[in-house]
Amino acid sequence: MSDVIQLLPDHVANQIAAGEVVQRPASVIKELLENAIDAQASVIQVVIKDAGKTQIQVVDNGLGMSLTDARMAFERHATSKIKAAEDLFSLKTKGFRGEALASIAAIAHVELKTKNEEGEIGTCIKIEGSEVISQDACVCKQGTSVSVKNLFYNIPARRNFLKSDAVETRHIIDEFQRVALAHPQINFSLFHNGSELFQLPETNLRQRITNIFGGKTNEKLVPVNEDTEIVEISGFVSKPEFAKKSRGEQFFFVNNRFIKSPYLNHAISAAFEGLLKERTYPGYFLYLNVDPKSIDINIHPTKTEIKFDDEHSLYAILRSAVKHSLGQFNVAPVLDFDRDSSLDTPYDYKDKGPEVPKVEVDKNFNPFKNEGGSSGGSGRQTHYSKKAPAASWESLYSGIKDQEFSGGNQLEQIEVESEEVSGSLFDKKEEEEKSTFQLQKKYIVSTLKSGILVIDQHRAHTRILYEEMLKNITISAAVSQQLLFPLKLQFSSNEIVMLKELKDSLEQTGFVFSALEKDFIEISGIPTLITESEVEILLEQLLSDFENEVPDNGFSQTDLMAKSLARSMAVKSGTILNNIEQQHIVNRLFACKEPSVNPSNKSVFVTLTVDELDKKFM
Ligand code: ADP
Ligand code: MG
């Protein structure tokens, strides 16, 4: 048979890529705004017609492009922002994939006008469905203007999928506000069908928030500032008495990029605990600065989630920073009566009796022994023996026979109060067989016959839970635990619609809904695998995953749900695991159908064989 594989022509590849990058007009706005910011613009203007369906135009006064760059910008993987793979770990720009302009030009009529500082005259390029229609010289100021008309003109299915103008405009405003909040030092404006929606002058953060959310906002804001080694936090939370019935004004930015994180959101709720009226949510505008190396840069262009190296510590720092601010600004009782749960008896040990503490004696300790002594082992001994007199102590016992008292080893036979050296209060027998250990609170390291195995704890646990969930949803209904009091949670009407769609599958995993009303739900039973306090994060994460997922990319609802739940429920990196927990994960991982990758196809573990090690020592 003749060969059948061919490379896809560029315009087809671009159209496929566009499906990922451009979901709706708001995605185009986000990409164009980010390009303008990357080009160091100080004034950015957005003009839209019919919720962006007819036209979107973004004009900036940034660096602009040369004639050649203007043409190159529309090639796929054409970017000025990174040159080598290493650059990915020190990323300071919003873009880096070089995909946005190519994707947008594949599914719309695009006109680009641009001029850089050196250029005497500007360039104007027209592209329709990846095809360059014209490239001419034109008169324009320094900067760039991109106009995108008739979005999805060549993909009717996608065009039909767009929601009403009101809904699409809402999405655009959301994107616009997120970018504007991340960059108060840039002047932004937004016009829709000829009328001005926002005019935001260059200012500071407090004023930017006030300009967007209205004059009264200023007095509601409490500053939050915290500098630690792993994160710098700045921004504001709203005073508890101004908490809202909806979650609208909640913003996290990481390195100036808007993100959604139900997990970190929970940290804020925890900080506000006891200060809020029932079914209200605090507003917050929090800016986290972290080392770009400590986050996963491979953020999907349309997604707003991010993976941190140490989410667990971040949670704790954020919670205490917010709590501290609320206390300091007298909006919360200053005294904190919260118990420190790390001082509580671990659950597993609750019913075990304490053991009599033992006196710790180092049997090998010999204060008279020289450094080179044979009774080796403890560092303490070496330390003391350095100070021991240089003269041989044996000479003091010259009358005693050599074999009776010839060296340090003999001392071991002297009875000491306790044979076992143990300082632990609890019986730790189960933990004795240590074949695993934890590295950096992130990896589980285990030995194999042929080498060592390093497992990413979060990914491994996600894989385990994912397979379990899939089984529960598709085959057997899971068991659920009845809640003593039904849990009432507030959601927006959009979210309720989504929850209704997911209700059946959620019930298969163990959720029991006692009410699904217009703006709240009531849950009377939850899966046994989770605790009541996790329910809200879990559902929020689920909704945000469904909101983010491109609707026609072939993933079934069940699969997405299993993925989302597994990911939220899995142990986070940064969590300390005891030996039993580590081994539990290892054993269950290798009982999975596909232990080597997590549900998003990323590696769960790596191995290092003795052969490979040997090579390193050559
Ligand atoms: P990315 O932003 O990932 O690099 P894009 O497709 O969005 O990819 O843009 C491709 C390139 O075009 C950018 O790397 C940049 O060099 C140039 N570019 C795009 N928009 C602008 C702009 N508004 N001003 C100056 N240069 C731009
Ligand atoms: Mg870009």
Side-chain angles (χ1 to χ4, degrees):
M1 205 176 123
S2 58
D3 299 337
V4 288
I5 299 179
Q6 329 172 3
L7 275 178
L8 287 176
D10 269 355
H11 69 274
V12 181
N14 284 341
Q15 216 180 70
I16 295 170
E20 297 265 308
V21 181
V22 186
Q23 291 180 283
R24 47 169 33 109
S27 344
V28 174
I29 303 226
K30 172 171 180 273
E31 292 296 337
L32 297 182
L33 283 174
E34 293 190 346
N35 279 347
I37 293 166
D38 284 344
Q40 298 162 31
S42 60
V43 181
I44 303 175
Q45 195 181 42
V46 184
V47 181
I48 54 173
K49 273 196 197 127
D50 305 326
K53 293 172 184 170
T54 311
Q55 188 182 9
I56 295 164
Q57 188 176 20
V58 175
V59 185
D60 71 57
N61 67 346
L63 297 172
M65 284 177 260
S66 70
L67 193 148
T68 335
D69 281 354
R71 177 64 196 84
M72 266 296 276
F74 290 99
E75 294 296 325
R76 206 143 62 98
H77 307 308
T79 179
S80 54
K81 298 167 194 176
I82 54 170
K83 293 199 168 66
E86 302 89 82
D87 299 347
L88 284 172
F89 301 101
S90 53
L91 214 57
K92 294 257 157 41
T93 55
K94 308 255 168 193
F96 62 91
R97 295 164 179 267
E99 264 178 357
L101 288 183
S103 299
I104 295 167
I107 49 164
H109 297 156
V110 176
E111 184 183 290
L112 168 92
K113 283 186 182 162
T114 188
K115 186 179 101 64
N116 63 7
E117 201 179 1
E118 295 88 53
E120 305 239 306
I121 196 156
T123 306
C124 172
I125 298 182
K126 289 187 182 151
I127 299 193
E128 295 181 359
S130 295
E131 202 183 320
V132 181
I133 304 292
S134 66
Q135 172 158 11
D136 303 300
C138 72
V139 179
C140 58
K141 282 193 284 192
Q142 183 187 328
T144 304
S145 151
V146 184
S147 148
V148 178
K149 284 187 184 157
N150 310 320
L151 191 66
F152 298 131
Y153 79 99
N154 51 359
I155 315 180
R158 294 234 90 163
R159 200 168 165 89
N160 295 337
F161 177 77
L162 291 178
K163 300 267 162 54
S164 69
D165 280 11
V167 172
E168 294 300 341
T169 309
R170 187 66 242 164
H171 281 290
I172 289 173
I173 292 175
D174 281 348
E175 281 309 343
F176 177 85
Q177 287 182 345
R178 291 167 184 177
V179 175
L181 283 170
H183 298 276
Q185 74 292 356
I186 297 177
N187 175 319
F188 289 97
S189 51
L190 172 63
F191 296 85
H192 186 205
N193 291 340
S195 60
E196 175 187 300
L197 295 184
F198 289 94
Q199 184 61 258
L200 307 170
E202 168 195 351
T203 176
N204 60 22
L205 179 58
R206 188 185 260 274
Q207 203 51 49
R208 172 61 49 98
I209 296 172
T210 309
N211 287 344
I212 292 179
F213 295 101
K216 290 232 173 74
T217 317
N218 195 9
E219 66 195 73
K220 302 179 190 169
L221 300 176
V222 180
V224 179
N225 283 294
E226 181 73 60
D227 271 7
T228 69
E229 245 167 57
I230 65 167
V231 61
E232 282 168 26
I233 301 171
S234 61
F236 299 91
V237 294
S238 67
K239 293 180 187 162
E241 65 265 37
F242 296 107
K244 294 211 157 159
K245 284 235 157 74
S246 77
R247 287 170 233 259
E249 294 171 14
Q250 302 188 326
F251 296 87
F252 278 122
F253 299 89
V254 172
N255 297 357
N256 287 332
R257 197 190 282 274
F258 171 82
I259 62 141
K260 273 189 187 163
S261 168
Y263 182 64
L264 295 185
N265 173 56
H266 193 263
I268 313 294
S269 309
F272 272 89
E273 205 178 313
L275 300 172
L276 298 176
K277 273 190 248 135
E278 210 192 329
R279 292 164 64 185
T280 62
Y281 301 89
Y284 56 82
F285 307 87
L286 292 167
Y287 296 71
L288 280 55
N289 259 316
V290 298
D291 183 346
K293 281 197 212 75
S294 74
I295 48 178
D296 183 355
I297 41 84
N298 224 348
I299 313 149
H300 189 277
T302 58
K303 290 187 180 173
T304 47
E305 56 197 38
I306 201 167
K307 193 171 164 275
F308 298 99
D309 264 5
D310 191 350
E311 222 176 6
H312 206 65
S313 306
L314 220 52
Y315 181 103
I317 296 170
L318 199 56
R319 172 171 171 266
S320 87
V322 171
K323 223 171 173 174
H324 179 76
S325 293
L326 291 174
Q328 216 182 12
F329 291 87
N330 274 331
V331 288
V334 181
L335 279 180
D336 182 0
F337 292 106
D338 267 7
R339 278 183 321 154
D340 183 352
S341 58
S342 65
L343 298 176
D344 287 351
T345 310
Y347 186 76
D348 286 342
Y349 295 142
K350 204 179 66 194
D351 297 319
K352 287 186 187 165
E355 267 189 13
V356 181
K358 305 227 168 85
V359 178
E360 203 177 324
V361 177
D362 184 350
K363 292 175 290 180
N364 294 329
F365 177 47
N366 173 0
F368 303 107
K369 189 77 185 115
N370 273 333
E371 206 167 355
S374 59
S375 54
S378 92
R380 178 143 44 110
Q381 180 182 355
T382 322
H383 175 71
Y384 276 106
S385 57
K386 270 187 192 145
K387 289 183 185 160
S392 172
W393 59 273
E394 281 103 329
S395 62
L396 293 173
Y397 298 91
S398 51
I400 303 173
K401 273 187 197 153
D402 260 16
Q403 68 265 43
E404 269 181 53
F405 225 97
S406 64
N409 286 340
Q410 297 288 337
L411 285 179
E412 274 180 24
Q413 281 157 22
I414 296 172
E415 271 294 308
V416 289
E417 281 164 275
S418 135
E419 263 310 301
E420 243 185 286
V421 176
S422 158
S424 164
L425 202 56
F426 296 98
D427 168 11
K428 277 201 174 157
K429 286 217 178 73
E430 305 107 297
E431 286 194 37
E432 259 161 26
E433 279 174 46
K434 284 199 177 165
S435 64
T436 57
F437 68 90
Q438 205 184 10
L439 188 69
Q440 298 269 330
K441 299 187 266 177
K442 246 197 311 198
Y443 300 109
I444 301 172
V445 181
S446 175
T447 48
L448 293 169
K449 228 192 263 161
S450 58
I452 59 168
L453 178 71
V454 183
I455 302 172
D456 180 315
Q457 64 186 45
H458 176 71
R459 289 188 187 169
H461 199 207
T462 309
R463 161 56 63 184
I464 296 165
L465 293 172
Y466 169 70
E467 292 200 1
E468 206 160 294
M469 287 284 159
L470 270 189
K471 207 166 72 198
N472 283 342
I473 303 174
T474 50
I475 308 170
S476 58
V479 232
S480 75
Q481 44 175 328
Q482 203 67 24
L483 296 177
L484 203 52
F485 302 103
L487 185 64
K488 222 175 195 180
L489 298 171
Q490 184 97 17
F491 286 99
S492 74
S493 51
N494 270 350
E495 292 170 326
I496 293 284
V497 173
M498 276 199 269
L499 281 171
K500 278 191 177 147
E501 270 175 41
L502 299 173
K503 181 169 172 271
D504 287 350
S505 309
L506 279 169
E507 284 181 338
Q508 293 273 43
T509 69
F511 281 98
V512 181
F513 292 93
S514 45
L516 244 168
E517 298 300 323
K518 216 168 77 244
D519 60 348
F520 73 94
I521 62 168
E522 218 175 67
I523 295 173
S524 56
I526 58 176
T528 44
L529 289 168
I530 60 172
T531 63
E532 190 171 341
S533 62
E534 290 167 329
V535 173
E536 192 169 2
I537 313 185
L538 210 97
L539 291 180
E540 262 186 56
Q541 180 71 55
L542 184 70
L543 290 171
S544 103
D545 284 347
F546 268 85
E547 208 181 352
N548 274 322
E549 205 57 57
V550 186
D552 58 2
N553 69 353
F555 280 115
S556 73
Q557 175 174 313
T558 327
D559 189 70
L560 183 56
M561 176 144 114
K563 259 190 208 165
S564 168
L565 293 180
R567 200 164 35 113
S568 331
M569 285 157 63
V571 284
K572 303 272 182 298
S573 59
T575 313
I576 298 176
L577 300 176
N578 69 27
N579 226 253
I580 302 165
E581 291 165 335
Q582 293 167 25
Q583 282 172 16
H584 194 59
I585 288 186
V586 177
N587 295 338
R588 283 172 65 199
L589 175 67
F590 290 101
C592 283
K593 280 195 197 130
E594 224 176 301
S596 59
V597 288
N598 75 354
S600 339
N601 255 328
K602 299 232 173 96
S603 303
V604 169
F605 57 81
V606 292
T607 54
L608 189 60
T609 64
V610 176
D611 282 352
E612 285 164 330
L613 274 174
D614 286 345
K615 277 196 197 118
K616 287 192 193 292
F617 286 105
M618 285 223 282

